[in-house]
Amino acid sequence: MKNILLTLFGLIALYACKTTEEIAVEAPVMIDLEAAEVVPEKKVYRPTEIKVHDLLHTKLEVAFDWGKQYLIGTATLTLKPYFYSSDRLILDAKGMDINKVMLVSDAMEMDLEYTYDNAFLDIQLGKEFTRFESYTVAIEYVAKPNELVTQGSAAITDAKGLYFINPDSSEVDKPTQLWTQGQTEASSVWFPTIDTPAERMTQEIFITTTKDFQTLSNGQLVYSNFNDDDTRTDYWKQDLEHPPYLTMMAVGDFKIGRAEWQDSKGRVVPVDYYVEPDYADYVFQIFGNTPEMMSVYSNLLQFDYPWEKYAQVVVRDYVSGAMENTTATIHGEFVNQTSRELIDENNEAVIAHELFHHWFGDLVTCESWSHLPLNESFATYGEYLWYEAKYGKDEADYHGWQSRQGYLNESRYKKVPLIRFNYEDKEDMFDAHSYNKGGQVLHMLRNLVGDEAFFSSLNLYLNTNQYKDAEVADLRLAFEETTGLDLNWFFDQWFLKAGHPELEIAYFFDEDAMEQQVVITQTQDFDEYPVFQLPITVDLHMGNEVVRKEFMITEYEELLKIPVDAKPEWVHVDPDNVLLCVKNDQRQDASYAAQFQSKGSFNSRLTAIAKAGDTAEESLYAVLENALTDDFWFIRASALDYLSTKDSISQLVLDRALSIAKEDEKTYTRATAIEFLAEFAPENMSKDFLLNCINKELSYYVNAAGLHALAMVDPTAAVAEALKLENTESSDVLFAVADVYVETKAVERKAFFESQIAQSSGYKKYVLLVRYQSFLARLDLSESASVIPLVEEISKGTDPWWVKMNAYRLLGDYKLRLSANQETTGVEDPRLDRANEALEKLKETEQNTRLLQVLEDYN
């Protein structure tokens, strides 16, 4: 095959090099590649978008047809050729009606010729422009997002760009809203543009809408004009450049909470929060830490928040968790919380994530989606930095540990480089690699170079690349220029290669040489993944003293020899779990008791109790008992979880669990203890105590735990309490109600599931569908006939694909149970035919490839 390819290449090269003289070439022999022994694999490469034109400024004038769910707009774009002269402009414009295209200037308007294929608008400019000449085109168009077939990703579940929510007010208790979602390349669904992250522009937008609605967009509100037709036009302007995918608008009945932040030079930045009227009283409880976050990030980076304002808006039916649109972040409705809900949990991680994007993603933007971790890894690590600054190291490390588990779970079936040019679809980049793994890699980089160097390097990176696009080499160069180190090895193995090290750690003590020896062996598949170069920290515990040693591992197996005056009591490799790796640590079990008692980092203590929970070693039981009084709430809760796997429970554990259930400052830990005691010491859980937990405690976590516990102690009483709670505003309590009905087979409450599913959306609906499937699986098949119309109705709606997935699984499970019943009885069941017909009908109409695969699984 190599010779065949060389021959073909030679013919092509000869033809390409021929002069004006005719060169005779024999007719090439046709080659049957399929018959060849080796067929070359087609290589996928996703390059950065070629810059043909530079988009300088976008002016949008938009109004809405709420009935048709159309946007009627005029886009006026100012551009210039990037380098090479050009007489042709190609814009991204998806699913629009293009009514007119003009070249405009102060002196004239000239109609331009164009072609349009429903994805790209190809404009003949009428003359050739050089890179020294700017020009302006105006496009009159109608955007019709609901008539465009799109598919999103796990992080962004749809790509219509523009969303009308309850436009005819037909849905009770749901506001009428309009909002946009540009990432990845969906801004071009609602205005013509060059839809690539490497493009940057200033912008202005005139939004005409119902006079009673509030609007929000990028930049500052310059003025509002009331029109004669009971509409209002708001003029928003942003003078600082940003990518088109970060252009946004939101329209609806919002109440605005207003705050401000002052930078190091005394500049006052408006900080606004837009929420539905029902949440106006809670707006500062939800978002109140935002100005402090701005100070934390500005101080760490020594780079003040760079934009004109910062606003956040909460919308309904959002297709992502949140989006860092420049100066105007959009949040999904899960951020709406009452004071009571905020007792248990908040969404500060999301709020911090989107804010940190305003440095990493908005100010400096990945040049292509292949470099997405330059946006998302930093935003993910921004969450850690906020928790560290506000709540301390334990809380930050707990958050980092959660993030690491997300990556490790994904790595079981997917290991890819952080920076990758061979993705099937750009949406594939939005995964636990770009977010979770990237954040962990940045944490390792910080520990490698030290805090001062880390944040100084980030400052240089921001200053060098502000208001520009960047690639990962730019980040490496900033770190190298700051530190003087060669960091190619680090960026190569962690950003450009896949996987993570798997380490086997063994310990030996050489009494003759008085050496503590540690053997570290990398055991990952070297055919797929590299031998990692690893900076390793080793702690030697010598009585009351801890001796720390630093090493650099470069081989797949290395013997570390550490001279000592006496044998260490125990040795701890990577004591703070900085390395992103999987360890098989061959230390003696007893050393984990000393590890916990040493009061080390969160990760060190968590590792110790995990070992105590997973082993039958009796000496480690005391570790779990002692963990119940640890200063950090998640250690206490985790100890209870591990204790629930033990064959016997000590009285000390029961006493401490009861104290936690009644008095712990963290409601999550209290809830964990209540359910633990209901299972292992129901005599300590009186009915009166549990009823008090359900009905008088403010914490929804405690309410839900009390109901779960009551179901274990007195199922009949639990059903009676669940009936009273069916209309709760808390998803946690509602899920507990569903669990009670599942466990007690409360067939008479089937209508509860169907009603709640019909009126729910998003994550709440997703979970209720799972609970309903479990509920029906415990009942007679005759109770499941209503599944078909329920699923058919969901299939026609606007729920995200992952919600529809659970609906299709509900129907698929019904089909499988019918099939099993028919096989058992030997009697043909017409209900099975109806279920199969319903599945086939869904396959005919479904367009989402993920959902089609789910349906195929039930063939």
Side-chain angles (χ1 to χ4, degrees):
M1 178 56 78
K2 182 187 292 186
N3 290 335
I4 293 172
L5 292 175
L6 286 172
T7 302
L8 288 175
F9 177 78
L11 290 173
I12 294 168
L14 180 62
Y15 186 80
C17 294
K18 79 174 186 179
T19 63
T20 53
E21 297 181 13
E22 187 67 25
I23 298 178
V25 179
E26 294 183 7
V29 177
M30 299 302 294
I31 300 165
D32 184 359
L33 289 176
E34 292 186 2
E37 291 184 7
V38 179
V39 177
E41 180 182 351
K42 182 179 180 181
K43 299 293 185 182
V44 175
Y45 177 73
R46 307 293 182 185
T48 299
E49 195 77 22
I50 296 173
K51 295 180 178 181
V52 179
H53 291 267
D54 188 8
L55 177 59
L56 304 175
H57 183 73
T58 296
K59 181 175 82 170
L60 301 175
E61 299 164 89
V62 300
F64 314 106
D65 184 329
W66 291 85
K68 294 181 179 178
Q69 299 182 48
Y70 287 174
L71 177 150
I72 300 93
T74 300
T76 305
L77 312 181
T78 301
L79 311 96
K80 68 181 183 65
Y82 189 80
F83 185 85
Y84 298 104
S85 300
S86 179
D87 61 358
R88 179 187 181 196
L89 170 65
I90 299 178
L91 298 173
D92 299 288
K94 302 181 179 77
M96 301 176 181
D97 289 340
I98 304 296
N99 296 327
K100 194 171 187 178
V101 180
M102 298 176 290
L103 186 69
V104 298
S105 66
D106 292 338
M108 51 82 73
E109 292 183 357
M110 181 178 74
D111 288 347
L112 296 177
E113 294 183 2
Y114 64 90
T115 57
Y116 180 56
D117 65 0
N118 215 44
F120 300 101
L121 179 59
D122 191 340
I123 303 170
Q124 300 300 320
L125 295 174
K127 62 162 286 188
E128 187 170 81
F129 290 90
T130 72
R131 66 182 184 273
F132 306 109
E133 298 176 283
S134 64
Y135 61 91
T136 300
V137 295
I139 304 156
E140 296 177 6
Y141 65 98
V142 178
K144 303 183 291 184
N146 288 349
E147 298 175 20
L148 182 69
V149 177
T150 65
Q151 182 166 312
S153 67
I156 306 161
T157 58
D158 197 85
K160 292 195 300 184
L162 173 65
Y163 299 81
F164 292 82
I165 307 303
N166 197 19
D168 58 1
S169 302
S170 60
E171 296 183 66
V172 180
D173 297 327
K174 189 172 192 177
T176 296
Q177 295 177 347
L178 175 151
W179 45 263
T180 60
Q181 168 60 33
Q183 196 178 52
T184 47
E185 296 171 8
S187 285
S188 50
V189 176
W190 66 279
F191 66 95
T193 189
I194 299 175
D195 210 349
T196 165
E199 191 54 76
R200 300 187 81 88
M201 64 185 192
T202 56
Q203 73 174 60
E204 51 190 327
I205 179 169
F206 297 80
I207 305 172
T208 299
T209 187
T210 306
K211 67 178 182 180
D212 295 328
F213 281 164
Q214 298 287 346
T215 73
L216 176 65
S217 189
N218 313 91
Q220 295 179 313
L221 179 62
V222 180
Y223 62 73
S224 297
N225 280 341
F226 288 89
N227 305 314
D228 294 338
D229 59 354
D230 281 339
T231 63
R232 190 185 74 251
T233 299
D234 289 349
Y235 172 39
W236 293 86
K237 186 179 183 183
Q238 179 168 297
D239 291 325
L240 298 172
E241 295 180 349
H242 74 151
Y245 78 88
L246 294 173
T247 299
M248 70 80 66
M249 62 179 173
V251 177
D253 181 12
F254 299 113
K255 296 297 182 183
I256 307 173
R258 299 194 185 278
E260 60 183 31
W261 174 78
Q262 186 169 308
D263 73 7
S264 62
K265 299 178 180 64
R267 177 180 65 113
V268 175
V269 177
V271 180
D272 299 331
Y273 319 122
Y274 290 63
V275 296
E276 294 174 26
D278 287 347
Y279 292 90
D281 291 342
Y282 315 113
V283 67
F284 291 103
Q285 296 174 57
I286 297 169
F287 293 113
N289 281 333
T290 301
E292 185 178 351
M293 290 179 184
M294 297 169 78
S295 292
V296 165
Y297 293 147
S298 296
N299 292 336
L300 283 173
L301 299 168
Q302 289 298 292
F303 195 113
D304 283 334
Y305 175 81
W307 305 96
E308 304 104 311
K309 75 158 192 302
Y310 189 54
Q312 297 173 83
V313 58
V314 184
V315 301
R316 291 290 188 99
D317 296 350
Y318 195 46
V319 294
S320 184
M323 183 64 207
E324 66 275 14
N325 306 298
T326 314
T327 76
T329 288
I330 293 182
H331 292 284
E333 63 197 88
F334 67 92
V335 174
N336 280 333
Q337 290 179 287
T338 64
S339 298
R340 191 173 172 187
E341 290 171 310
L342 287 162
I343 291 172
D344 294 320
E345 61 181 342
N346 59 53
N347 290 289
E348 284 185 22
V350 179
I351 294 168
H353 182 107
E354 306 308 326
L355 174 60
F356 206 51
H357 264 309
H358 280 71
W359 287 265
F360 299 94
D362 297 10
L363 179 68
V364 182
T365 309
C366 62
E367 70 169 18
S368 71
W369 301 120
S370 294
H371 291 271
L372 180 67
L374 291 178
N375 293 10
E376 297 301 346
S377 299
F378 274 105
T380 301
Y381 195 54
E383 300 167 27
Y384 182 97
L385 295 174
W386 164 247
Y387 280 110
E388 184 180 34
K390 180 67 173 177
Y391 302 109
K393 193 74 162 58
D394 275 358
E395 195 72 55
D397 283 346
Y398 162 66
H399 192 75
W401 171 82
Q402 281 187 307
S403 186
R404 178 177 294 201
Q405 301 317 301
Y407 160 69
L408 291 175
N409 287 337
E410 183 175 88
S411 72
R412 294 172 185 171
Y413 61 89
K414 177 181 183 180
K415 289 189 181 79
V416 292
L418 286 182
I419 308 300
R420 48 196 188 269
F421 301 93
N422 61 344
Y423 55 78
E424 289 292 323
D425 187 281
K426 58 187 178 297
E427 306 300 337
D428 297 341
M429 291 295 300
F430 293 81
D431 58 12
H433 284 68
S434 293
Y435 289 73
N436 307 44
K437 182 181 181 181
Q440 295 290 302
V441 169
L442 291 173
H443 190 59
M444 287 191 292
L445 182 57
R446 176 184 174 186
N447 279 269
L448 174 67
V449 301
D451 277 13
E452 183 180 1
F454 181 76
F455 292 110
S456 295
S457 299
L458 296 186
N459 176 273
L460 178 60
Y461 171 75
L462 293 171
N463 274 292
T464 303
N465 300 288
Q466 59 182 313
Y467 306 109
K468 295 192 294 186
D469 55 278
E471 58 178 281
V472 73
D474 296 309
L475 182 64
R476 174 179 60 80
L477 290 171
F479 271 84
E480 291 182 338
E481 183 174 340
T482 299
T483 65
L485 299 172
D486 180 352
L487 292 171
N488 263 298
W489 64 270
F490 183 94
F491 279 78
D492 180 64
Q493 71 184 19
W494 288 114
F495 284 94
L496 302 177
K497 291 180 179 175
H500 55 265
E502 298 175 14
L503 305 181
E504 188 170 288
I505 306 171
Y507 304 85
F508 305 95
F509 185 71
D510 187 334
E511 291 187 7
D512 294 334
M514 289 302 290
E515 286 180 343
Q516 176 64 55
Q517 299 178 354
V518 182
V519 179
I520 300 178
T521 307
Q522 299 189 40
T523 61
Q524 64 269 16
D525 183 352
F526 298 123
D527 290 335
E528 296 286 338
Y529 312 112
V531 173
F532 284 82
Q533 181 174 336
L534 301 173
I536 292 276
T537 299
V538 179
D539 279 355
L540 307 175
H541 289 259
M542 322 276 292
N544 295 325
E545 183 185 9
V546 179
V547 178
R548 175 158 289 192
K549 299 291 184 180
E550 306 284 353
F551 299 91
M552 184 66 77
I553 301 295
T554 58
E555 304 294 336
Y556 85 95
E557 181 173 275
E558 292 210 16
L559 171 62
L560 309 181
K561 296 181 178 182
I562 308 171
V564 293
D565 296 328
K567 182 179 180 180
E569 294 177 5
W570 59 288
V571 181
H572 200 176
V573 174
D574 187 31
D576 297 322
N577 278 30
V578 171
L579 290 178
L580 178 57
C581 66
V582 175
K583 298 175 195 162
N584 176 16
D585 200 324
Q586 298 177 11
R587 279 167 42 202
Q588 292 183 346
D589 288 351
S591 69
Y592 287 92
Q595 179 173 322
F596 185 80
Q597 291 167 5
S598 69
K599 299 292 185 182
S601 67
F602 162 81
N603 282 300
S604 177
R605 285 156 26 234
L606 185 65
T607 302
I609 65 170
K611 185 67 175 181
D614 292 339
T615 183
E617 175 64 46
E618 292 184 9
S619 64
L620 292 184
Y621 193 88
V623 171
L624 297 175
E625 291 177 323
N626 293 331
L628 295 176
T629 60
D630 192 88
D631 290 339
F632 189 60
W633 64 272
F634 188 74
I635 296 293
R636 300 192 297 273
S638 296
L640 287 168
D641 287 337
Y642 283 116
L643 283 162
S644 68
T645 68
K646 298 299 182 181
D647 294 332
S648 62
I649 305 297
S650 69
Q651 187 59 48
L652 179 60
V653 166
L654 295 178
D655 292 343
R656 288 179 174 175
L658 185 60
S659 176
I660 291 172
K662 292 181 176 180
E663 301 170 0
D664 201 277
E665 63 183 4
K666 191 74 173 181
T667 58
Y668 177 92
T669 316
R670 285 190 65 200
T672 304
I674 290 166
E675 295 196 37
F676 175 86
L677 287 167
E679 181 176 357
F680 294 101
E683 67 277 5
N684 289 343
M685 293 284 97
S686 70
K687 185 175 177 180
D688 287 343
F689 173 74
L690 293 176
L691 289 174
N692 185 74
C693 289
I694 295 168
N695 296 312
K696 294 186 178 179
E697 291 280 355
L698 289 176
S699 164
Y700 286 126
Y701 280 0
V702 174
N703 299 156
L707 188 58
H708 279 132
L710 186 61
M712 292 184 241
V713 174
D714 188 339
T716 302
V719 171
E721 292 302 314
L723 284 167
K724 303 174 189 176
L725 296 168
E726 286 187 356
N727 294 318
T728 177
E729 68 174 10
S730 165
S731 294
D732 294 293
V733 175
L734 193 71
F735 299 157
V737 169
D739 289 338
V740 168
Y741 293 158
V742 171
E743 292 301 319
T744 59
K745 302 180 183 179
V747 61
E748 70 279 3
R749 302 314 304 151
K750 191 177 84 165
F752 157 81
F753 287 95
E754 295 178 348
S755 172
Q756 288 292 338
I757 289 170
Q759 59 186 288
S760 298
S761 61
Y763 176 72
K764 183 176 178 181
K765 191 169 191 173
Y766 174 92
V767 174
L768 285 170
L769 284 164
V770 174
R771 300 294 205 277
Y772 191 36
Q773 183 174 330
S774 298
F775 177 74
L776 292 177
R778 291 169 176 248
L779 305 182
D780 186 85
L781 269 169
S782 62
E783 299 293 340
S784 297
S786 58
V787 161
I788 293 176
L790 173 68
V791 174
E792 288 177 338
E793 187 64 27
I794 292 174
S795 74
K796 300 172 186 175
T798 59
D799 290 301
W801 69 267
W802 42 272
V803 172
K804 291 183 178 181
M805 174 184 68
N806 275 0
Y808 294 173
R809 286 175 174 169
L810 176 65
L811 176 56
D813 183 67
Y814 175 48
K815 176 252 175 102
L816 293 178
R817 288 188 291 123
L818 287 170
S819 181
N821 180 67
Q822 180 172 286
E823 186 174 339
T824 301
T825 62
V827 178
E828 288 194 13
D829 191 338
R831 296 174 299 181
L832 180 57
D833 293 334
R834 288 196 291 274
N836 279 322
E837 289 171 5
L839 286 167
E840 286 300 320
K841 183 179 177 182
L842 289 172
K843 282 195 285 187
E844 292 173 3
T845 57
E846 183 56 64
Q847 296 176 325
N848 186 290
T849 56
R850 298 182 187 90
L851 294 178
L852 283 170
Q853 184 57 57
V854 171
L855 293 168
E856 286 292 337
D857 290 343
Y858 291 102
N859 269 349

